[in-house]
């Protein structure tokens, strides 16, 4: 980021990082934040538009391009919206973030 006033600009400032959210979503307990991405329209050969959630584990070099875990809709229901709502928190009080996946159109 750079501060400018008219034609006068400062040098580039140091990069700062901010953690957003109430808790660090560390699903695998390695001390690095992880990322869960919902894909509610994802299809598989068995069930079109069943939905999936992909988990990318964080590490010292950040988040990798390929997911470490793919979670398909366990019910395999057509267009249930699995993965359209995801949340995290320590549900079972083991000091690790747990992943909660919603399927709002599940019958």
């Amino acid at each position: 980021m750079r501060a400018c006033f008219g034609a006068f600009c400062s040098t580039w400032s140091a990069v700062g990082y901010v953690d957003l959210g109430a808790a660090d979503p560390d699903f695998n307990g390695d001390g690095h934040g992880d990322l869960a991405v919902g894909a509610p329209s994802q299809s598989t050969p068995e069930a079109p538009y069943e939905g999936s959630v992909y988990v990318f584990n964080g590490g010292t070099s950040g988040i990798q391009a390929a997911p470490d875990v793919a979670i398909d809709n366990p019910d395999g229901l057509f267009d249930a919206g699995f993965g359209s709502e995801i949340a995290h928190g320590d549900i079972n009080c083991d000091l690790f973030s747990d992943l909660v996946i919603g399927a709002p159109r599940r019958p």
Side-chain angles (χ1 to χ4, degrees), residues 82-99:
F82 182 82
S84 62
E85 298 171 359
I86 55 176
H88 68 86
D90 187 4
I91 306 298
N92 58 357
C93 299
D94 64 354
L95 302 179
F96 297 110
S97 289
D98 301 306
L99 179 62

Side-chain angles (χ1 to χ4, degrees), residues 5-107:
F5 180 74
F8 301 101
C9 292
S10 68
T11 58
W12 289 97
S13 62
V15 175
Y17 295 94
V18 177
D19 288 330
L20 300 177
D24 183 21
D26 181 9
F27 303 121
N28 61 357
D30 66 355
H32 300 284
D34 303 319
L35 175 68
V37 177
S41 297
Q42 179 69 30
S43 296
T44 65
E46 297 82 28
Y49 305 107
E50 72 168 350
S52 297
V53 173
Y54 300 99
V55 178
F56 299 81
N57 292 333
T60 55
S61 60
I63 301 289
Q64 301 300 313
D68 295 286
V69 178
I71 305 168
D72 292 328
N73 183 340
D75 293 332
L77 297 174
F78 175 78
D79 198 28
F82 182 82
S84 62
E85 298 171 359
I86 55 176
H88 68 86
D90 187 4
I91 306 298
N92 58 357
C93 299
D94 64 354
L95 302 179
F96 297 110
S97 289
D98 301 306
L99 179 62
V100 179
I101 304 170
R105 294 187 301 272
R106 184 182 186 277

